[in-house]
Amino acid sequence: MATTPHPRVRFAPSPTGKLHVGGARTAVFNWAFARATGGVFVLRIEDTDPERSTAENEQVILRAMRWLGLDWDEGPEVGGGYGPYRQSERFDRYDELVERLLAEGKAYYCFCTPEQLEADREAARARKDPFQGYQRTCRSIDPAEAKARAEAGEPCVVRLKVPEDRGDVLVHDIIHGDVTFNAAELDDFVIRRTDGSPTYNFCVVADDSAMAITHVIRGDDHLSNTPRQVLVYEALGLEPPLFAHVPMICGPDGKKLSKRHGATSVEEWRDEGYDPEAFVNYLALLGWSLDGETTMVSRATLAKEFSLDRISKNPAVFDTKKLQWLNAEYLKAMGDEEFAREVLEPQLTAAGLAEAGCVDANPAWWSLLAEILKPRTKLAPDVVGLSRFLFGEGVEIDEKARAKALGKEGAAAALEAAEAALLPLERFTGDEIDAALEPLPDELGQSKRVFYQAIRAAETGSLASPPLGASMELLGKGRSLKRLEAALELASA
Ligand code: GLU
């Protein structure tokens, strides 16, 4: 293990697309591990593929990280003592290391053409050679001659010379335990391509060592790359870091999570209205648990309690229903003022409702609205539909409510009685309104259902709404009474 007193971990996304759920979960684990151990969380952008990496994607990733609240201690836009933090700005460093390995005889130039490589593979297959990798053809070229040919411009790659007596490569993984990779399958792999660009397995090692990374925590789709990276560490005379390969995330059908299962990028989830803290909580539970039962684990708890030994090696299942449930729990746990500030105001403003007027909106009004909507809100944008009836003088009564509530015999009597009972109220509060309406069904000889459906349809325009008394308090006395009168015109006697 590296000797840094505190762990240094990194999240190393390639900016070839948006930040996806799998990457975000890896980021959460790295961040939480750094925070819980007093370590350092590094963000490194792996943009060695110029065709697929864009500055715009990098921004999208940084934005998603910020939305999730995963602050990084070193990396783009914050700097740090181990930069630069973009691989595209570190090419001279990779070159230096490749040159060193060439000079030490631990790497060599290879001039084999793609056609020759294919022919060699074909021949190995035909003779059923257990070793199907690179046949090490160019190992035997005299290094000085190879260097001269390379310098003269002959197309070539650089390959790592895997020591012939190396034997199987054992990777000790914190999550998977000891994993052995057959030496026969590890050929002399390319570390620098014909165009001079270094390969992933090389850059990662160059950077993880230069950045003094102590723990590599990443998706287990990278486990198969790890033996090659161990060989690069060995060639460079460096101690590898500790590895923790986290389990894959599947959809409910057991297949690797993908577009087929719905939204995959963090931004899509954000746009659907998920709360970032609930989302981080949910990501953390994909393969990790606090104690096997607690489901609400705040960012603060993660930052204190996260540990690698509670990561499972089994694939995690992404369950949108559970995420939704968790999101609703977070909304319910908010204080009324927080809910008003974080959910109601932004959502209703975005929907153009907050400015619609007709609302005497003071802090108490917002708090009451928060109180009645919180238990009904699964996703932040739900509040728009739930509270639309409050904005505007009158309300449009939907078809179903007209037919089922106002079309019923006795509807007009219910509306008239309600109006008469509410008119004298001085304090137009939910409790007073409920108390004034309560005796009316009996007095009218009506079922509660018929009575309240008529009032609800008149006030809210539909058959389902938040509690009636509180809704009418929010509407205010003037509008509540006007709506009763307006409905009366539509109601059956
Ligand atoms: N850039 C790699 C990826 O996005 C991550 C490599 C690593 O974590 O070692 O998959």
Side-chain angles (χ1 to χ4, degrees):
M1 194 193 352
T3 52
T4 13
H6 294 294
R8 289 178 55 85
V9 292
R10 84 310 192 269
F11 173 53
S14 305
T16 53
K18 301 198 154 113
L19 182 59
H20 287 256
V21 165
R25 194 269 314 257
T26 301
V28 168
F29 283 9
N30 276 282
W31 174 87
F33 180 68
R35 294 293 168 264
T37 55
V40 173
F41 177 45
V42 177
L43 177 62
R44 181 173 75 224
I45 303 295
E46 304 213 319
D47 56 351
T48 49
D49 181 347
E51 311 237 303
R52 296 172 60 225
S53 305
T54 67
E56 196 190 321
N57 283 335
E58 179 184 316
Q59 280 308 314
V60 170
I61 292 170
L62 300 194
R63 248 199 334 266
M65 294 280 289
R66 291 206 175 93
W67 180 71
L68 293 168
L70 306 177
D71 54 321
W72 54 100
D73 306 307
E74 294 175 23
E77 297 182 5
V78 306
Y82 295 79
Y85 293 94
R86 282 184 197 92
Q87 288 191 327
S88 59
E89 294 165 20
R90 301 178 64 86
F91 273 55
D92 49 344
R93 289 157 209 257
Y94 308 135
D95 266 338
E96 213 177 287
L97 289 176
V98 172
E99 293 304 327
R100 201 183 101 197
L101 292 178
L102 282 166
E104 291 173 355
K106 292 175 176 163
Y108 61 93
Y109 293 104
C110 165
F111 303 92
C112 295
T113 60
E115 296 74 31
Q116 184 180 343
L117 293 174
E118 185 46 42
D120 287 350
R121 262 194 298 273
E122 200 44 58
R125 267 197 293 270
R127 64 173 187 272
K128 298 210 164 48
D129 191 333
F131 181 74
Q132 307 251 329
Y134 177 63
Q135 298 295 321
R136 304 181 169 176
T137 321
C138 293
R139 263 200 193 208
S140 54
I141 303 174
D142 172 65
E145 182 201 328
K147 189 163 194 265
R149 283 168 65 182
E151 279 170 6
E154 188 173 337
C156 61
V157 299
V158 175
R159 291 181 182 272
L160 190 82
K161 194 186 280 180
V162 179
E164 260 158 295
D165 56 355
R166 175 58 184 79
D168 293 348
V169 177
L170 181 92
V171 173
H172 179 75
D173 187 271
I174 294 173
I175 297 162
H176 295 265
D178 288 341
V179 188
T180 305
F181 293 86
N182 189 343
E185 280 162 23
L186 300 167
D187 57 356
D188 288 357
F189 53 95
V190 174
I191 57 175
R192 188 165 72 194
R193 302 183 187 91
T194 315
D195 65 3
S197 63
T199 56
Y200 159 71
N201 281 322
F202 188 76
C203 301
V204 160
V205 171
D207 290 344
D208 285 340
S209 58
M211 295 179 182
I213 298 301
T214 58
H215 297 67
V216 167
I217 306 168
R218 62 185 171 198
D220 64 9
D221 48 335
H222 283 294
L223 184 58
S224 58
N225 286 318
T226 310
R228 290 200 169 83
Q229 293 174 20
V230 167
L231 293 170
V232 177
Y233 279 104
E234 288 176 2
L236 292 169
L238 298 166
E239 193 73 25
L242 297 175
F243 293 103
H245 286 93
V246 303
M248 180 170 95
I249 305 174
C250 306
D253 57 358
K255 304 229 168 77
K256 192 173 183 309
L257 194 67
S258 73
K259 263 271 163 261
R260 281 180 303 126
H261 299 106
T264 53
S265 77
V266 170
E267 293 207 314
E268 284 171 274
W269 294 102
R270 180 200 63 195
D271 293 346
E272 283 189 25
Y274 283 88
D275 176 76
E277 179 136 21
F279 197 67
V280 165
N281 184 156
Y282 187 67
L283 291 176
L285 298 181
L286 291 172
W288 176 85
S289 78
L290 180 66
D291 51 17
E293 49 188 296
T294 309
T295 42
M296 280 187 80
V297 187
S298 67
R299 228 190 258 120
T301 304
L302 274 179
K304 272 215 293 279
E305 308 289 346
F306 186 85
S307 72
L308 296 177
D309 57 8
R310 295 207 55 92
I311 298 180
S312 152
K313 47 169 160 273
N314 302 321
V317 179
F318 193 94
D319 176 353
T320 309
K321 286 221 166 59
K322 189 163 172 204
L323 168 61
Q324 258 175 20
W325 172 83
L326 198 58
N327 196 70
E329 291 300 298
Y330 268 81
L331 296 179
K332 273 188 219 143
M334 282 184 178
D336 292 341
E337 280 172 25
E338 185 188 1
F339 187 85
R341 187 180 63 242
E342 303 291 329
V343 180
L344 294 180
E345 296 205 30
Q347 290 295 333
L348 301 182
T349 305
L353 289 179
E355 294 87 45
C358 309
V359 171
D360 176 21
N362 49 43
W365 190 92
W366 286 108
S367 286
L368 177 58
L369 182 58
E371 187 188 317
I372 63 171
L373 293 193
K374 262 192 317 185
R376 293 170 172 73
T377 309
K378 282 202 180 69
L379 285 174
D382 294 350
V383 299
V384 175
L386 288 168
S387 61
R388 191 178 291 282
F389 74 90
L390 291 170
F391 301 88
E393 246 339 287
V395 67
E396 197 168 326
I397 300 175
D398 69 35
E399 259 329 297
K400 210 162 132 204
R402 269 180 202 233
K404 280 191 83 174
L406 301 181
K408 283 238 165 68
E409 198 190 314
L415 296 168
E416 273 169 357
E419 192 180 353
L422 296 174
L423 197 58
L425 289 190
E426 280 177 17
R427 288 182 57 246
F428 204 72
T429 62
D431 289 346
E432 300 276 334
I433 295 164
D434 287 336
L437 297 179
E438 220 247 303
L440 300 183
D442 276 354
E443 284 172 28
L444 294 167
Q446 287 185 352
S447 76
K448 280 197 170 43
R449 198 155 154 263
V450 167
F451 176 81
Y452 282 107
Q453 273 193 346
I455 313 301
R456 195 179 295 279
E459 299 293 352
T460 72
S462 81
L463 295 174
S465 75
L468 196 53
S471 298
M472 291 169 77
E473 176 178 342
L474 291 169
L475 283 168
K477 189 171 174 181
R479 280 195 297 158
S480 294
L481 294 178
K482 270 197 215 134
R483 289 185 182 193
L484 290 175
E485 274 167 27
L488 204 45
E489 305 203 344
L490 303 168
S492 301

